[in-house]
Amino acid sequence: MEQKNYVAYLRQSTTKQEMSGLGVEAQREIIQNYLKNRKPISEYIETESGRKSNRPKLTEALELCKKTKSILIVAKLDRLSRNVAFTSKLLESDVEIVFCDFPEANKLVLHIISSIAEYEAGLISQRTRQSLKAKKARGYKLGKSENLLNRLDQAVKNSNKTNHQKALDNSNNKRAIALLKSLVKEDKSLSEMARILNSEGFVTALGSQFRASQVSILLKRYNLK
């Protein structure tokens, strides 16, 4: 049987990667775990917003897939887009695509998922507009749009700071970090660290087993790597 080639596509947001919880290194780790002993013939990294359809690096990746008859591999389904029209165009490119977190996904499933995601995004936007309209009708002074954005940015920063401190104070995280400090010195890979943590009975802040991506986030959070 002819061995298939893969072209890796990784996306990072223009905002802080901590917001998405999945940076480039973690995506690369997920893809490599999926491919096992194989390596992508090429890798493309896009820095874009998830809602934008203009993806020059994705276009390049698709073109290479066509030329080399390779499969486009993506770490997670949400690394692509929440826009139905864009997803439809992507799926019509005649390039085979595999998502490491959802390898069973076919074109119909992808259309359904993206449609639901876009519908939910539309609802959030609609509710926000309705809420602002209701406040204005009650005489609430909304202020300038730039001031609203500044308050929103500050609220996000405060929320991130609180969540970050909670994560630092979490007892499960503290126990795991005690072991990770020695594993980092031994130059273990993320997947090896996750395997050792799970085999030793350690659990995440939410009480689940560790994955390589979670180990990566924990190491960055405690400035261990």
Side-chain angles (χ1 to χ4, degrees), residues 19-33:
M19 295 288 286
S20 67
L22 187 67
V24 168
E25 288 299 328
Q27 292 176 61
R28 188 177 287 126
E29 182 79 16
I30 290 172
I31 289 174
Q32 195 54 57
N33 287 341

Side-chain angles (χ1 to χ4, degrees), residues 3-138:
Q3 188 173 9
K4 295 181 179 180
N5 291 323
Y6 292 86
V7 173
Y9 176 73
L10 299 82
R11 188 186 70 80
Q12 59 184 356
S13 174
T14 52
T15 57
K16 292 183 179 180
Q17 290 183 3
E18 288 78 10
M19 295 288 286
S20 67
L22 187 67
V24 168
E25 288 299 328
Q27 292 176 61
R28 188 177 287 126
E29 182 79 16
I30 290 172
I31 289 174
Q32 195 54 57
N33 287 341
Y34 181 90
L35 295 179
K36 294 183 172 47
N37 59 336
R38 289 173 291 175
K39 296 281 186 181
I41 63 172
S42 188
E43 177 185 278
Y44 292 85
I45 301 176
E46 194 95 72
T47 302
E48 271 290 358
S49 166
R51 292 178 179 274
K52 293 183 179 179
S53 299
N54 182 26
R55 305 280 185 82
K57 291 299 181 182
L58 180 57
T59 300
E60 291 178 25
L62 290 172
E63 287 299 322
L64 181 61
C65 286
K66 291 177 182 178
K67 290 179 182 178
T68 60
K69 296 181 179 179
S70 300
I71 299 171
L72 184 72
I73 184 167
V74 184
K76 289 177 69 67
L77 183 57
D78 63 5
R79 290 297 93 187
L80 285 183
S81 179
R82 295 182 294 274
N83 181 278
V84 176
F86 171 71
T87 307
S88 299
K89 181 180 178 181
L90 177 71
L91 296 176
E92 291 166 3
S93 65
D94 293 328
V95 171
E96 186 177 348
I97 306 171
V98 63
F99 302 94
C100 298
D101 66 332
F102 197 176
E104 301 84 5
N106 55 30
K107 290 189 175 183
L108 175 60
V109 171
L110 296 182
H111 278 299
I112 293 173
I113 290 175
S114 62
S115 296
I116 293 174
E118 186 176 62
Y119 174 71
E120 290 177 341
L123 285 180
I124 293 172
S125 178
Q126 182 182 10
R127 288 167 184 161
T128 301
R129 289 195 299 270
Q130 290 174 343
S131 176
L132 292 174
K133 186 177 180 180
K135 285 185 176 182
K136 189 175 182 180
R138 294 196 300 268

Side-chain angles (χ1 to χ4, degrees), residues 164-182:
H164 180 73
Q165 190 59 49
K166 285 182 179 179
L168 291 177
D169 294 337
N170 183 272
S171 57
N172 288 345
N173 285 346
K174 287 183 177 180
R175 283 192 290 268
I177 281 299
L179 177 57
L180 284 174
K181 286 180 179 178
S182 62

Side-chain angles (χ1 to χ4, degrees), residues 23-30 33 180 183-184 187-198 210-220 224-225:
V24 168
E25 288 299 328
Q27 292 176 61
R28 188 177 287 126
E29 182 79 16
I30 290 172
N33 287 341
L180 284 174
L183 296 180
V184 169
D187 201 27
K188 299 286 187 181
S189 69
L190 294 176
S191 57
E192 287 177 322
M193 292 182 189
R195 180 184 57 79
I196 293 173
L197 284 170
N198 293 331
F210 278 95
R211 299 191 302 273
S213 59
Q214 293 169 314
V215 172
S216 176
I217 293 171
L218 208 54
L219 292 177
K220 292 177 183 176
L224 293 182
K225 201 172 184 179

